[in-house]
mmCIF file of all heavy atoms in Angstrom:
data_model
loop_
_atom_site.group_PDB
_atom_site.id
_atom_site.type_symbol
_atom_site.label_atom_id
_atom_site.label_comp_id
_atom_site.label_asym_id
_atom_site.label_seq_id
_atom_site.Cartn_x
_atom_site.Cartn_y
_atom_site.Cartn_z
ATOM 1 N N GLU A 93 -149.724 37.151 5.089
ATOM 2 C CA GLU A 93 -149.535 36.273 3.944
ATOM 3 C C GLU A 93 -149.345 34.842 4.433
ATOM 4 O O GLU A 93 -148.562 34.594 5.355
ATOM 5 C CB GLU A 93 -148.316 36.696 3.131
ATOM 6 C CG GLU A 93 -148.055 35.795 1.929
ATOM 7 C CD GLU A 93 -146.773 36.146 1.201
ATOM 8 O OE1 GLU A 93 -146.038 37.033 1.680
ATOM 9 O OE2 GLU A 93 -146.500 35.508 0.162
ATOM 10 N N VAL A 94 -150.088 33.903 3.845
ATOM 11 C CA VAL A 94 -149.892 32.483 4.141
ATOM 12 C C VAL A 94 -148.692 32.006 3.333
ATOM 13 O O VAL A 94 -148.709 32.043 2.099
ATOM 14 C CB VAL A 94 -151.146 31.666 3.785
ATOM 15 C CG1 VAL A 94 -150.891 30.182 4.024
ATOM 16 C CG2 VAL A 94 -152.344 32.135 4.599
ATOM 17 N N THR A 95 -147.648 31.570 4.031
ATOM 18 C CA THR A 95 -146.407 31.204 3.342
ATOM 19 C C THR A 95 -146.174 29.696 3.268
ATOM 20 O O THR A 95 -145.410 29.238 2.420
ATOM 21 C CB THR A 95 -145.208 31.854 4.046
ATOM 22 O OG1 THR A 95 -145.142 31.395 5.398
ATOM 23 C CG2 THR A 95 -145.337 33.375 4.031
ATOM 24 N N LEU A 96 -146.835 28.898 4.164
ATOM 25 C CA LEU A 96 -146.560 27.454 4.176
ATOM 26 C C LEU A 96 -147.687 26.732 4.893
ATOM 27 O O LEU A 96 -148.279 27.269 5.841
ATOM 28 C CB LEU A 96 -145.224 27.178 4.894
ATOM 29 C CG LEU A 96 -144.818 25.712 5.076
ATOM 30 C CD1 LEU A 96 -144.479 25.089 3.730
ATOM 31 C CD2 LEU A 96 -143.641 25.597 6.043
ATOM 32 N N SER A 97 -147.970 25.512 4.464
ATOM 33 C CA SER A 97 -148.874 24.629 5.204
ATOM 34 C C SER A 97 -148.470 23.190 4.936
ATOM 35 O O SER A 97 -148.331 22.771 3.783
ATOM 36 C CB SER A 97 -150.332 24.846 4.798
ATOM 37 O OG SER A 97 -151.167 23.926 5.486
ATOM 38 N N ASP A 98 -148.283 22.427 6.046
ATOM 39 C CA ASP A 98 -147.941 21.011 5.938
ATOM 40 C C ASP A 98 -149.059 20.146 6.505
ATOM 41 O O ASP A 98 -148.839 19.005 6.891
ATOM 42 C CB ASP A 98 -146.627 20.745 6.682
ATOM 43 C CG ASP A 98 -145.977 19.440 6.242
ATOM 44 O OD1 ASP A 98 -146.217 19.033 5.092
ATOM 45 O OD2 ASP A 98 -145.252 18.833 7.049
ATOM 46 N N SER A 118 -159.401 33.403 5.900
ATOM 47 C CA SER A 118 -159.375 32.400 4.831
ATOM 48 C C SER A 118 -159.823 31.074 5.424
ATOM 49 O O SER A 118 -159.176 30.536 6.332
ATOM 50 C CB SER A 118 -157.974 32.269 4.238
ATOM 51 O OG SER A 118 -157.935 31.240 3.264
ATOM 52 N N TYR A 120 -160.069 27.997 4.087
ATOM 53 C CA TYR A 120 -159.183 26.883 3.748
ATOM 54 C C TYR A 120 -157.785 27.436 3.486
ATOM 55 O O TYR A 120 -157.244 27.316 2.394
ATOM 56 C CB TYR A 120 -159.708 26.133 2.526
ATOM 57 C CG TYR A 120 -160.924 25.287 2.822
ATOM 58 C CD1 TYR A 120 -162.198 25.832 2.719
ATOM 59 C CD2 TYR A 120 -160.790 23.958 3.214
ATOM 60 C CE1 TYR A 120 -163.323 25.073 2.997
ATOM 61 C CE2 TYR A 120 -161.911 23.187 3.493
ATOM 62 C CZ TYR A 120 -163.174 23.749 3.386
ATOM 63 O OH TYR A 120 -164.280 22.987 3.666
ATOM 64 N N ALA A 121 -157.207 28.043 4.503
ATOM 65 C CA ALA A 121 -155.907 28.683 4.333
ATOM 66 C C ALA A 121 -154.819 27.679 3.990
ATOM 67 O O ALA A 121 -153.863 28.006 3.276
ATOM 68 C CB ALA A 121 -155.533 29.447 5.602
ATOM 69 N N ASN A 122 -154.935 26.432 4.506
ATOM 70 C CA ASN A 122 -153.914 25.428 4.202
ATOM 71 C C ASN A 122 -153.932 25.009 2.739
ATOM 72 O O ASN A 122 -152.964 24.451 2.232
ATOM 73 C CB ASN A 122 -154.082 24.210 5.102
ATOM 74 C CG ASN A 122 -155.468 23.573 4.968
ATOM 75 O OD1 ASN A 122 -156.468 24.290 4.934
ATOM 76 N ND2 ASN A 122 -155.531 22.250 4.902
ATOM 77 N N HIS A 123 -155.022 25.280 2.041
ATOM 78 C CA HIS A 123 -155.097 25.014 0.607
ATOM 79 C C HIS A 123 -154.915 26.303 -0.206
ATOM 80 O O HIS A 123 -155.172 26.305 -1.405
ATOM 81 C CB HIS A 123 -156.451 24.383 0.257
ATOM 82 C CG HIS A 123 -156.657 23.033 0.865
ATOM 83 N ND1 HIS A 123 -156.067 21.883 0.377
ATOM 84 C CD2 HIS A 123 -157.374 22.654 1.963
ATOM 85 C CE1 HIS A 123 -156.416 20.852 1.125
ATOM 86 N NE2 HIS A 123 -157.208 21.290 2.105
ATOM 87 N N ASN A 124 -154.504 27.364 0.455
ATOM 88 C CA ASN A 124 -154.447 28.680 -0.203
ATOM 89 C C ASN A 124 -153.128 29.377 0.132
ATOM 90 O O ASN A 124 -153.111 30.536 0.554
ATOM 91 C CB ASN A 124 -155.639 29.531 0.246
ATOM 92 C CG ASN A 124 -155.894 30.708 -0.676
ATOM 93 O OD1 ASN A 124 -155.295 30.810 -1.748
ATOM 94 N ND2 ASN A 124 -156.766 31.612 -0.254
ATOM 95 N N VAL A 125 -152.019 28.651 -0.033
ATOM 96 C CA VAL A 125 -150.704 29.250 0.208
ATOM 97 C C VAL A 125 -150.496 30.408 -0.773
ATOM 98 O O VAL A 125 -150.756 30.277 -1.967
ATOM 99 C CB VAL A 125 -149.586 28.202 0.058
ATOM 100 C CG1 VAL A 125 -148.212 28.862 0.161
ATOM 101 C CG2 VAL A 125 -149.737 27.118 1.118
ATOM 102 N N GLY A 126 -150.047 31.531 -0.255
ATOM 103 C CA GLY A 126 -149.927 32.742 -1.059
ATOM 104 C C GLY A 126 -151.045 33.730 -0.794
ATOM 105 O O GLY A 126 -150.997 34.871 -1.262
ATOM 106 N N PHE A 127 -152.071 33.301 -0.051
ATOM 107 C CA PHE A 127 -153.175 34.192 0.290
ATOM 108 C C PHE A 127 -152.649 35.400 1.071
ATOM 109 O O PHE A 127 -151.793 35.273 1.950
ATOM 110 C CB PHE A 127 -154.205 33.436 1.135
ATOM 111 C CG PHE A 127 -155.207 34.327 1.819
ATOM 112 C CD1 PHE A 127 -156.306 34.807 1.128
ATOM 113 C CD2 PHE A 127 -155.037 34.691 3.152
ATOM 114 C CE1 PHE A 127 -157.233 35.635 1.756
ATOM 115 C CE2 PHE A 127 -155.957 35.513 3.784
ATOM 116 C CZ PHE A 127 -157.058 35.988 3.086
ATOM 117 N N THR A 128 -153.157 36.586 0.746
ATOM 118 C CA THR A 128 -152.768 37.808 1.457
ATOM 119 C C THR A 128 -154.006 38.580 1.870
ATOM 120 O O THR A 128 -155.069 38.472 1.239
ATOM 121 C CB THR A 128 -151.885 38.710 0.583
ATOM 122 O OG1 THR A 128 -152.603 39.066 -0.608
ATOM 123 C CG2 THR A 128 -150.578 38.033 0.221
ATOM 124 N N LEU A 188 -149.863 25.628 9.669
ATOM 125 C CA LEU A 188 -150.061 26.886 8.938
ATOM 126 C C LEU A 188 -148.985 27.865 9.398
ATOM 127 O O LEU A 188 -148.801 28.070 10.601
ATOM 128 C CB LEU A 188 -151.452 27.482 9.181
ATOM 129 C CG LEU A 188 -151.854 28.585 8.192
ATOM 130 C CD1 LEU A 188 -152.111 27.982 6.807
ATOM 131 C CD2 LEU A 188 -153.092 29.339 8.666
ATOM 132 N N VAL A 189 -148.270 28.438 8.432
ATOM 133 C CA VAL A 189 -147.243 29.440 8.724
ATOM 134 C C VAL A 189 -147.631 30.729 8.001
ATOM 135 O O VAL A 189 -147.928 30.706 6.801
ATOM 136 C CB VAL A 189 -145.845 28.974 8.273
ATOM 137 C CG1 VAL A 189 -144.799 30.047 8.600
ATOM 138 C CG2 VAL A 189 -145.480 27.653 8.948
#
Side-chain angles (χ1 to χ4, degrees):
E93 179 185 5
V94 177
T95 60
L96 176 69
S97 177
D98 199 27
S118 176
Y120 287 89
N122 58 316
H123 295 283
N124 197 9
V125 174
F127 166 81
T128 59
L188 195 70
V189 180

